[in-house]
Amino acid sequence: MGGNYSAMDPMNVPVPDLQKLFERDGYLRPYEKEIRRRYACFKDLWDKIESWEGGVEAFTTGYRYYGPQFGADGSVVWREWAPGAHSIHLQGDFNGWNPKSHPFRKLEFGKWELHIPENPDGSCPIKHGSRVQLIVNEHLYRVSPWASYVKPFEGFTYQQFIYNPEEPYRFKHKKVDRPASLRIYECHVGIATNEGRVGTYLEFKDNVLPRIKDLGYNAIQLMAIMEHAYYASFGYQVTSFFAASSRYGTPCELKQLIDRAHELGIYVLLDIVHSHASKNTLDGLNEFDGTTACYFHDGPRGTHSLWDSRLFNYSETEVLRFLLSNLRWYQEEYQFDGFRFDGVTSMLYHSRGIGEGFSGNYDEYYGLNVDTEALVYLMLANELVHSIDKRAITIAEDVSGMPASGRPIREGGTGFDYRLGMAIPDMWIKLLKEERDEDWKMGYIVHTLTNRRWMEGTVAYAESHDQALVGDKTIAFWLMDAAMYTHMSTLSEPSAVVERGLALHCMIRLITHALGGEAYLNFIGNEFGHPEWLDFPREGNNSSYHYARRQWHLVDDDLLKYKFLNAFDKDMNALEDKYGWLRSNPGYVSCKHEGDKVIAFERAGLLFVFNFHPYQSFTDYRVGVDVPGKYQAVLCSDSKKYGGFGRVEPDGEFHFTQNMPWANRNDSIQVYIPCRTAIVYARCE
């Protein structure tokens, strides 16, 4: 434990709703003391911050204190935190790049301050759009950690430019209400164009947001927004935390994108990276004050051995101020609705999750391997985000399965609203890579899709950006591979490979959507089976943009079969919007027949039947239902509308229950379920 934390007896610190946690998961009761200790650390730190001058409000608005602050009289006050520095100077366009004329004055607690008076005519000496640079210890050239706009200058190194327009963009539309059924479209502005170049915020606003709205997604998750000097890092090697990436446009143009999304009723999540930072020194946080510490742990604890990046010191007060202010900055300055926290597993454990299997034994989550300082930071972050905006949603990217991470802090949880169901895409890729269709185990599929903690929201997904990166393939490409180049035309001769690919692509998505969680995520372009992989321009591919784009022309071409997958994705989302299975209790699985390859379950009043058998169809297949009545197919993956054979079409014949209990259900119906087909039945009044 760091020195900032309470030494009080945690058993004397009340956790308001701890008993609710134990009611949901009795296995946690033996770890009550550790749960209380973690909560006590959080409560002590939050109360300390609240007791300081200005309280949590002032502490989490560090961007109003550090960096350049522009006065109404035209003057500028610039502050930095650099405890290891012995001098700081500011140079730039405003002073003719004089490295000595503007020295900072050292204050207490490692802070530095510079006052620049207004010009004689009352104007500001540092103009909007002008370039500036910090000089630390007279020879280290640095970008302010609080810079709000940076871009490359005379090479690849990013430098700070003042972004202080006279008429900044004003939001016209309010934030969007928190979706009851969260359907997320994970997207990257830079790759969202058909052309081999970097796309822009405004192009995304005009060209991609309407597609997302039409597909029925009610949220977007924007990746790679925080500035990163290396484009191929996919935004995960952040160099400037407060700067929205300039490669896509200006901060005002990002605001236009978000405002338009809100106008369309789309909730906007930011992929936030607080687990680590780039090792860059000239344009990053690393060695900002000339030492290897400052914002990071010194020594081996401060470096991630696999990511080759720096790890934050979450016990340092100014680091907490920096990161918590960063969250508030994106909530208030850019009007982001919520956050997806990257790399949570790396934060939670001293091992960074490297080489950890995480068997599910609770001792793994409540032992000495847990990094309490990072865990408490995540609790602080969740408390702050939700206190600023009660509509906010936070999502944890955690593969370890830390118990109660998706429960409120007042219960002793970490405070996230959802966690990513990261085992689900791994399962699908494993099946497609390693097993024949006839060897797929229905029990394994069902177990993976339903293996989640009760009352902790899970975001289910068949594939995200991780599965599309170079070295891997999209699900569509695993399914159809070379046939995508030769048989995706509606005019080409039939292809068994493509027929299988279209069928399984729809089935995999639907069962993941309907059974796998309380929210659903799709990566940009994968809804229509985007071919190939994702690879950013880099030295290894001759700086090519060929695979760093989205080929929208494929789905827009009426003569290509990509339109079938796109149509299914749209109808699947529309059906969820109507019946709301994501906001309902988990599905009840009544059938997982290994020989027949059939899975059946009920959720939100719907009956889902999947036949994964590669060639065996079934007539009069009996399936259990709990509510008697008349049922009719409302979605069928085999419909000709989706490139199927049309053996079953929606809105066709009615199926009446037969007062025969089946598979632990009160009643049952008999249906025709063709091979490689998924059908959803709704009860008709």
Side-chain angles (χ1 to χ4, degrees):
M1 290 296 297
N4 290 355
Y5 293 122
S6 171
M8 68 181 76
D9 181 358
M11 300 304 285
N12 293 328
V13 179
V15 184
D17 294 330
L18 182 60
Q19 292 310 310
K20 289 184 180 179
L21 190 68
F22 294 152
E23 289 169 10
R24 291 193 174 94
D25 189 347
Y27 293 106
L28 286 171
R29 194 172 291 277
Y31 303 95
E32 178 178 353
K33 185 172 183 179
E34 175 61 13
I35 293 170
R36 286 183 176 275
R37 185 187 73 84
R38 294 175 182 182
Y39 180 84
C41 293
F42 154 77
K43 188 70 165 60
D44 179 58
L45 191 48
W46 182 271
D47 289 347
K48 277 183 180 178
I49 295 171
E50 192 67 87
S51 71
W52 296 335
E53 185 177 356
V56 171
E57 170 78 18
F59 188 80
T60 59
T61 50
Y63 47 83
R64 297 177 188 165
Y65 179 83
Y66 287 111
Q69 304 298 319
F70 299 93
D73 61 355
S75 65
V76 179
V77 179
W78 194 311
R79 301 183 188 91
E80 296 292 347
W81 178 67
H86 57 72
S87 71
I88 303 180
H89 292 79
L90 181 68
Q91 65 176 4
D93 295 337
F94 77 100
N95 68 355
W97 293 91
N98 187 322
K100 297 290 187 181
S101 63
H102 287 77
F104 282 69
R105 179 172 62 94
K106 191 170 186 178
L107 307 177
E108 291 184 299
F109 310 117
K111 299 176 183 178
W112 297 78
E113 184 177 83
L114 169 65
H115 286 263
I116 307 176
E118 69 275 16
N119 290 328
D121 62 0
S123 63
C124 181
I126 306 182
K127 305 298 183 186
H128 168 65
S130 62
R131 184 164 61 96
V132 290
Q133 191 172 56
L134 294 169
I135 307 175
V136 177
N137 298 343
E138 317 215 343
H139 68 284
L140 303 174
Y141 298 95
R142 297 289 186 258
V143 170
S144 170
W146 303 85
S148 63
Y149 190 59
V150 297
K151 58 183 181 180
F153 182 79
E154 295 182 351
F156 294 104
T157 303
Y158 279 66
Q159 295 196 17
Q160 181 174 358
F161 290 77
I162 299 299
Y163 198 82
N164 186 31
E166 290 186 10
E167 296 188 12
Y169 183 78
R170 306 293 181 189
F171 287 94
K172 302 177 180 63
H173 304 281
K174 293 181 179 180
K175 288 186 175 183
V176 173
D177 287 342
R178 176 186 176 126
S181 291
L182 187 62
R183 301 183 297 272
I184 305 169
Y185 195 85
E186 183 185 37
C187 43
H188 184 290
V189 171
I191 69 167
T193 174
N194 214 61
E195 302 167 26
R197 58 177 176 81
V198 178
T200 70
Y201 293 125
L202 296 184
E203 289 172 329
F204 191 94
K205 171 181 75 76
D206 294 336
N207 303 330
V208 184
L209 284 179
R211 291 181 183 270
I212 297 169
K213 177 68 175 178
D214 182 64
L215 282 165
Y217 291 93
N218 54 24
I220 56 173
Q221 180 178 301
L222 287 174
M223 306 177 61
I225 294 298
M226 304 167 78
E227 190 60 271
H228 47 293
Y230 185 43
Y231 188 42
S233 75
F234 220 148
Y236 292 117
Q237 292 284 347
V238 177
T239 44
S240 289
F241 283 74
F242 285 83
S245 182
S246 61
R247 57 171 54 84
Y248 318 127
T250 66
C252 285
E253 288 168 345
L254 172 57
K255 291 176 182 179
Q256 290 181 58
L257 185 165
I258 295 169
D259 206 20
R260 175 59 174 153
H262 288 159
E263 183 183 9
L264 292 171
I266 297 173
Y267 192 95
V268 186
L269 294 157
L270 174 65
D271 196 347
I272 197 100
V273 186
H274 281 182
S275 49
H276 64 129
S278 168
K279 286 182 71 174
N280 289 16
T281 55
L282 292 178
D283 50 14
L285 282 181
N286 192 24
E287 300 181 19
F288 173 69
D289 67 350
T291 73
T292 56
C294 197
Y295 286 92
F296 309 108
H297 286 292
D298 202 4
R301 190 180 175 190
T303 302
H304 197 291
S305 60
L306 289 185
W307 296 345
D308 195 31
S309 54
R310 297 305 314 274
L311 299 174
F312 287 105
N313 180 357
Y314 301 105
S315 67
E316 170 57 61
T317 299
E318 291 302 326
V319 174
L320 293 176
R321 187 198 308 273
F322 179 80
L323 294 174
L324 293 173
S325 296
N326 194 230
L327 292 167
R328 191 175 198 124
W329 168 257
Y330 284 109
Q331 279 185 285
E332 297 190 344
E333 180 70 15
Y334 286 101
Q335 297 292 293
F336 278 97
D337 298 292
F339 300 97
R340 178 264 201 188
F341 281 73
D342 175 69
V344 168
T345 307
S346 171
M347 299 172 71
L348 288 176
Y349 306 96
H350 290 294
S351 66
R352 306 302 156 212
I354 300 171
E356 294 277 342
F358 295 109
S359 66
N361 186 315
Y362 278 43
D363 290 344
E364 296 172 340
Y365 308 120
Y366 295 100
L368 295 177
N369 187 31
V370 174
D371 189 331
T372 303
E373 294 165 356
L375 176 63
V376 169
Y377 166 68
L378 290 171
M379 296 169 75
L380 290 171
N382 277 303
E383 183 74 7
L384 175 69
V385 167
H386 291 105
S387 67
I388 292 172
D389 185 354
K390 295 188 183 305
R391 296 171 296 183
I393 289 173
T394 57
I395 303 170
E397 188 214 23
D398 172 33
V399 73
S400 75
M402 170 69 77
S405 70
R407 294 308 305 167
I409 293 164
R410 60 182 293 113
E411 289 183 12
T414 313
F416 288 103
D417 298 286
Y418 298 90
R419 70 167 89 231
L420 291 177
M422 300 180 71
I424 299 173
D426 290 347
M427 172 194 69
W428 291 123
I429 297 301
K430 177 179 172 61
L431 288 175
L432 293 172
K433 286 174 65 173
E434 300 177 7
E435 297 192 20
R436 302 181 307 161
D437 296 4
E438 47 266 49
D439 294 332
W440 287 15
K441 299 295 187 292
M442 300 300 102
Y444 170 59
I445 293 173
V446 168
H447 174 75
T448 305
L449 289 170
T450 58
N451 184 26
R452 55 186 186 274
R453 299 187 185 279
W454 174 249
M455 297 297 288
E456 293 194 47
T458 294
V459 180
Y461 59 105
E463 54 184 338
S464 69
H465 69 274
D466 283 327
Q467 286 72 42
L469 291 173
V470 64
D472 210 332
K473 303 176 185 177
T474 63
I475 284 180
F477 214 53
W478 277 116
L479 287 167
M480 296 177 279
D481 213 342
M484 297 189 81
Y485 299 116
T486 58
H487 287 80
M488 287 299 280
S489 170
T490 57
L491 304 178
S492 61
E493 69 276 9
S495 163
V497 172
V498 170
E499 289 166 359
R500 168 183 177 266
L502 295 179
L504 287 180
H505 197 275
C506 294
M507 294 180 71
I508 287 170
R509 270 163 168 65
L510 179 58
I511 197 170
T512 300
H513 202 310
L515 193 60
E518 290 67 44
Y520 178 74
L521 177 143
N522 167 68
F523 180 64
I524 179 172
N526 287 354
E527 69 278 0
F528 66 83
H530 200 284
E532 300 167 332
W533 50 87
L534 185 63
D535 190 14
F536 287 86
R538 54 188 173 84
E539 186 178 343
N541 64 11
N542 296 317
S543 300
S544 171
Y545 285 87
H546 180 74
Y547 296 108
R549 60 193 179 106
R550 297 289 91 177
Q551 300 181 56
W552 303 113
H553 66 280
L554 297 176
V555 69
D556 293 340
D557 190 334
D558 199 50
L559 293 178
L560 296 179
K561 296 177 183 178
Y562 297 96
K563 66 178 182 180
F564 296 139
L565 300 179
N566 198 74
F568 183 82
D569 205 75
K570 178 179 178 178
D571 290 351
M572 176 176 65
N573 281 329
L575 195 66
E576 196 290 323
D577 190 57
K578 180 178 179 179
Y579 290 94
W581 60 69
L582 291 173
R583 58 182 178 269
S584 301
N585 286 334
Y588 181 89
V589 180
S590 61
C591 176
K592 43 185 178 181
H593 197 290
E594 298 297 351
D596 296 344
K597 304 298 179 193
V598 171
I599 296 171
F601 60 91
E602 295 154 275
R603 191 175 186 187
L606 297 172
L607 172 64
F608 297 81
V609 185
F610 292 78
N611 180 4
F612 281 98
H613 205 290
Y615 53 83
Q616 181 68 59
S617 299
F618 301 99
T619 57
D620 298 328
Y621 199 88
R622 188 170 297 279
V623 182
V625 293
D626 219 33
V627 181
K630 180 173 63 173
Y631 287 77
Q632 187 179 40
V634 290
L635 182 68
C636 179
S637 64
D638 192 55
S639 171
K640 290 184 178 180
K641 181 180 180 182
Y642 314 128
F645 295 103
R647 292 168 291 184
V648 175
E649 292 287 355
D651 303 323
E653 63 178 300
F654 295 110
H655 300 268
F656 295 87
T657 54
Q658 299 172 352
N659 194 24
M660 180 184 292
W662 193 263
N664 294 319
R665 308 310 277 162
N666 291 328
D667 221 315
S668 60
I669 63 174
Q670 288 180 292
V671 297
Y672 169 48
I673 180 72
C675 61
R676 283 201 185 116
T677 296
I679 307 177
V680 185
Y681 296 93
R683 188 167 169 269
C684 307
E685 297 298 336

